[in-house]
Amino acid sequence: MDIRFDCTQCGRCCHDLRLPLSIDEAIVWAGRGHDVQLLCDALPSLSGDPPEEIVARFRHDRSFPAMSGGLPIRVAIILVARHAGACPHLLPDMRCGNYADRPRVCRIYPAEIAPHVRLDIQNKLCPPEAWAGDRPLLLRDGFVADAGLGSLIAAHRAAAQSDAPAKARAAMLLGARTAALWNEGYAVRAPAPDDLVAALVEARASMEEVDTGAHWSIVSNRKSTLAMLRDADADGRFCRSDAGYIGFFADEG
Ligand code: SF4
Ligand code: SF4
C-alpha cells in the first residue's frame, strides 16, 4: 500500500511539543534557554544479553544497565524538547523560524522512528489534504520511499543508541534516579536548561564506564505493579500522575 504525503505547513505538529532529541540537539535547544526534559523508564534485565525480538531489541539498544534494589534493570532516557503552546521557533505564518537547524524529528514527522511502529495517518496531526493522492510518495508497503528520509530515521536511531552511555552519566550528574516501568509511563525530570547543558557536555566528554550498580527507583501509579516490583526485589515507589510522572494508566489509590 502506498502512503503519499506533503506538508501543508498547518503548524499543528509545532504545538505542545515533546520532541525527542539527540544529546547534540538537546545541547543546542537547551542552550537557547528552552526546556528539555528527561523521560525515564526501566525494564528488568535478568540475562543482560541483547534480546532478539524487535521491540525489545530496539529498547535495549538505547538503554543502559543499572540496578533497582536487587533487580538488574535497563534504563532508557528520552530527551525531549518540551513546550506548551506554539514552539518558540514557530513564526506567525506557521513557518519554522529554525528551519535550517530544526531537530531531526521535525524533519521526520509524520514518519515513524521505531522500526516496529506502522504509520497510522489517523494518529497524525496532519490535515486530510496532506495525504492526498497527488502528493509525493512517503511509504510503499510500510517502507520509507525517500532515501533522504530513510537516512534521517537511521541517524536518529543511531544517535539514540550511541547517546545511551552519556545519558547514564548525565542522569547521575543531575541526580535523576527515578524511572517508570516500561510501557506504564515515564518518570519526568525537568532540569533548568543551563544545568542540563552542563551535565550533557560533561557526560559526553567523559570516558567513564557506565556504573552498572547505580541505583534507580521504579515509580508506578498502580498497586498491582508495586506488588510485582516488591516480589522481584526491586525498589518500587508509588507515584501519582502529575508533573513528575506521565502515567499511561489511571492512578490506583
Ligand atoms: S523547530 Fe520548527 S519544525 Fe520543529 S517544532 Fe519548532 S517550529 Fe516546528
Ligand atoms: S502537522 Fe503535518 S502538515 Fe501540519 S505542519 Fe506538521 S507535518 Fe506539516
PDB file of all heavy atoms in Angstrom, residues 13-14 17 19 29 87 89-90 96 98 102-103 106, ligand 1:
ATOM      1  N   CYS A  13       1.803  20.243  14.285  1.00  0.00           N
ATOM      2  CA  CYS A  13       2.812  19.432  14.977  1.00  0.00           C
ATOM      3  C   CYS A  13       3.859  20.309  15.666  1.00  0.00           C
ATOM      4  O   CYS A  13       4.761  19.789  16.313  1.00  0.00           O
ATOM      5  CB  CYS A  13       3.478  18.457  14.008  1.00  0.00           C
ATOM      6  SG  CYS A  13       4.421  19.251  12.699  1.00  0.00           S
ATOM      7  N   CYS A  14       3.740  21.626  15.522  1.00  0.00           N
ATOM      8  CA  CYS A  14       4.699  22.549  16.149  1.00  0.00           C
ATOM      9  C   CYS A  14       4.103  23.170  17.411  1.00  0.00           C
ATOM     10  O   CYS A  14       4.567  24.225  17.871  1.00  0.00           O
ATOM     11  CB  CYS A  14       5.095  23.641  15.151  1.00  0.00           C
ATOM     12  SG  CYS A  14       5.799  22.998  13.635  1.00  0.00           S
ATOM     13  N   LEU A  17       4.782  20.672  22.395  1.00  0.00           N
ATOM     14  CA  LEU A  17       5.863  19.785  21.962  1.00  0.00           C
ATOM     15  C   LEU A  17       6.320  18.809  23.032  1.00  0.00           C
ATOM     16  O   LEU A  17       6.403  19.157  24.197  1.00  0.00           O
ATOM     17  CB  LEU A  17       7.095  20.610  21.583  1.00  0.00           C
ATOM     18  CG  LEU A  17       6.945  21.756  20.619  1.00  0.00           C
ATOM     19  CD1 LEU A  17       8.286  22.457  20.456  1.00  0.00           C
ATOM     20  CD2 LEU A  17       6.438  21.255  19.291  1.00  0.00           C
ATOM     21  N   LEU A  19       9.380  16.831  21.722  1.00  0.00           N
ATOM     22  CA  LEU A  19      10.185  16.396  20.581  1.00  0.00           C
ATOM     23  C   LEU A  19      11.393  15.605  21.066  1.00  0.00           C
ATOM     24  O   LEU A  19      12.238  16.148  21.775  1.00  0.00           O
ATOM     25  CB  LEU A  19      10.744  17.602  19.819  1.00  0.00           C
ATOM     26  CG  LEU A  19       9.819  18.588  19.134  1.00  0.00           C
ATOM     27  CD1 LEU A  19      10.647  19.698  18.518  1.00  0.00           C
ATOM     28  CD2 LEU A  19       9.000  17.893  18.074  1.00  0.00           C
ATOM     29  N   TRP A  29      19.265  23.048  21.874  1.00  0.00           N
ATOM     30  CA  TRP A  29      17.910  23.512  22.248  1.00  0.00           C
ATOM     31  C   TRP A  29      17.933  24.157  23.636  1.00  0.00           C
ATOM     32  O   TRP A  29      17.460  25.282  23.827  1.00  0.00           O
ATOM     33  CB  TRP A  29      16.931  22.330  22.211  1.00  0.00           C
ATOM     34  CG  TRP A  29      15.484  22.715  22.229  1.00  0.00           C
ATOM     35  CD1 TRP A  29      14.714  22.950  23.331  1.00  0.00           C
ATOM     36  CD2 TRP A  29      14.627  22.920  21.100  1.00  0.00           C
ATOM     37  NE1 TRP A  29      13.435  23.262  22.962  1.00  0.00           N
ATOM     38  CE2 TRP A  29      13.348  23.258  21.601  1.00  0.00           C
ATOM     39  CE3 TRP A  29      14.801  22.831  19.728  1.00  0.00           C
ATOM     40  CZ2 TRP A  29      12.257  23.519  20.773  1.00  0.00           C
ATOM     41  CZ3 TRP A  29      13.712  23.087  18.899  1.00  0.00           C
ATOM     42  CH2 TRP A  29      12.471  23.433  19.418  1.00  0.00           C
ATOM     43  N   CYS A  87       5.667  26.210  19.445  1.00  0.00           N
ATOM     44  CA  CYS A  87       7.126  26.111  19.552  1.00  0.00           C
ATOM     45  C   CYS A  87       7.720  27.515  19.546  1.00  0.00           C
ATOM     46  O   CYS A  87       7.262  28.384  18.788  1.00  0.00           O
ATOM     47  CB  CYS A  87       7.654  25.313  18.357  1.00  0.00           C
ATOM     48  SG  CYS A  87       9.459  25.309  18.237  1.00  0.00           S
ATOM     49  N   HIS A  89      10.091  28.541  18.105  1.00  0.00           N
ATOM     50  CA  HIS A  89      10.631  28.876  16.776  1.00  0.00           C
ATOM     51  C   HIS A  89       9.536  29.077  15.729  1.00  0.00           C
ATOM     52  O   HIS A  89       9.843  29.412  14.580  1.00  0.00           O
ATOM     53  CB  HIS A  89      11.569  27.766  16.296  1.00  0.00           C
ATOM     54  CG  HIS A  89      12.794  27.629  17.137  1.00  0.00           C
ATOM     55  ND1 HIS A  89      13.748  28.612  17.240  1.00  0.00           N
ATOM     56  CD2 HIS A  89      13.204  26.627  17.954  1.00  0.00           C
ATOM     57  CE1 HIS A  89      14.703  28.223  18.057  1.00  0.00           C
ATOM     58  NE2 HIS A  89      14.396  27.034  18.520  1.00  0.00           N
ATOM     59  N   LEU A  90       8.291  28.838  16.108  1.00  0.00           N
ATOM     60  CA  LEU A  90       7.219  28.928  15.107  1.00  0.00           C
ATOM     61  C   LEU A  90       6.888  30.394  14.811  1.00  0.00           C
ATOM     62  O   LEU A  90       6.639  31.187  15.729  1.00  0.00           O
ATOM     63  CB  LEU A  90       5.975  28.199  15.615  1.00  0.00           C
ATOM     64  CG  LEU A  90       4.862  27.988  14.587  1.00  0.00           C
ATOM     65  CD1 LEU A  90       5.340  27.062  13.462  1.00  0.00           C
ATOM     66  CD2 LEU A  90       3.623  27.376  15.260  1.00  0.00           C
ATOM     67  N   CYS A  96       8.634  27.591  10.011  1.00  0.00           N
ATOM     68  CA  CYS A  96       9.622  27.351  11.071  1.00  0.00           C
ATOM     69  C   CYS A  96      10.703  28.420  11.009  1.00  0.00           C
ATOM     70  O   CYS A  96      11.354  28.582   9.972  1.00  0.00           O
ATOM     71  CB  CYS A  96      10.235  25.962  10.897  1.00  0.00           C
ATOM     72  SG  CYS A  96      11.560  25.629  12.080  1.00  0.00           S
ATOM     73  N   ASN A  98      13.381  28.193  12.525  1.00  0.00           N
ATOM     74  CA  ASN A  98      14.622  27.475  12.846  1.00  0.00           C
ATOM     75  C   ASN A  98      14.856  26.396  11.792  1.00  0.00           C
ATOM     76  O   ASN A  98      15.391  25.333  12.074  1.00  0.00           O
ATOM     77  CB  ASN A  98      14.456  26.846  14.240  1.00  0.00           C
ATOM     78  CG  ASN A  98      15.693  26.135  14.741  1.00  0.00           C
ATOM     79  OD1 ASN A  98      16.804  26.584  14.514  1.00  0.00           O
ATOM     80  ND2 ASN A  98      15.486  25.011  15.422  1.00  0.00           N
ATOM     81  N   ARG A 102      16.435  22.854  12.516  1.00  0.00           N
ATOM     82  CA  ARG A 102      15.374  22.175  13.250  1.00  0.00           C
ATOM     83  C   ARG A 102      15.803  20.746  13.568  1.00  0.00           C
ATOM     84  O   ARG A 102      16.572  20.141  12.807  1.00  0.00           O
ATOM     85  CB  ARG A 102      14.054  22.209  12.469  1.00  0.00           C
ATOM     86  CG  ARG A 102      14.031  21.393  11.202  1.00  0.00           C
ATOM     87  CD  ARG A 102      12.900  21.863  10.313  1.00  0.00           C
ATOM     88  NE  ARG A 102      12.632  20.997   9.178  1.00  0.00           N
ATOM     89  CZ  ARG A 102      13.394  20.905   8.096  1.00  0.00           C
ATOM     90  NH1 ARG A 102      14.515  21.579   8.005  1.00  0.00           N
ATOM     91  NH2 ARG A 102      13.043  20.092   7.110  1.00  0.00           N
ATOM     92  N   PRO A 103      15.327  20.216  14.717  1.00  0.00           N
ATOM     93  CA  PRO A 103      15.718  18.860  15.115  1.00  0.00           C
ATOM     94  C   PRO A 103      15.318  17.819  14.069  1.00  0.00           C
ATOM     95  O   PRO A 103      14.406  18.034  13.270  1.00  0.00           O
ATOM     96  CB  PRO A 103      14.943  18.639  16.418  1.00  0.00           C
ATOM     97  CG  PRO A 103      14.664  19.999  16.948  1.00  0.00           C
ATOM     98  CD  PRO A 103      14.482  20.876  15.733  1.00  0.00           C
ATOM     99  N   CYS A 106      11.672  16.828  13.598  1.00  0.00           N
ATOM    100  CA  CYS A 106      10.830  17.770  12.857  1.00  0.00           C
ATOM    101  C   CYS A 106      10.901  17.472  11.354  1.00  0.00           C
ATOM    102  O   CYS A 106       9.966  17.744  10.615  1.00  0.00           O
ATOM    103  CB  CYS A 106      11.281  19.209  13.089  1.00  0.00           C
ATOM    104  SG  CYS A 106      11.175  19.727  14.811  1.00  0.00           S
TER     105      CYS A 106
HETATM  106  S1  SF4 B   1      11.707  23.648  15.409  1.00  0.00           S
HETATM  107 FE1  SF4 B   1      10.466  24.342  13.679  1.00  0.00          FE
HETATM  108  S2  SF4 B   1       9.615  22.476  12.769  1.00  0.00           S
HETATM  109 FE2  SF4 B   1      10.354  21.953  14.824  1.00  0.00          FE
HETATM  110  S3  SF4 B   1       8.572  22.194  16.184  1.00  0.00           S
HETATM  111 FE3  SF4 B   1       9.674  24.147  16.201  1.00  0.00          FE
HETATM  112  S4  SF4 B   1       8.696  25.387  14.613  1.00  0.00           S
HETATM  113 FE4  SF4 B   1       8.103  23.258  14.259  1.00  0.00          FE
END
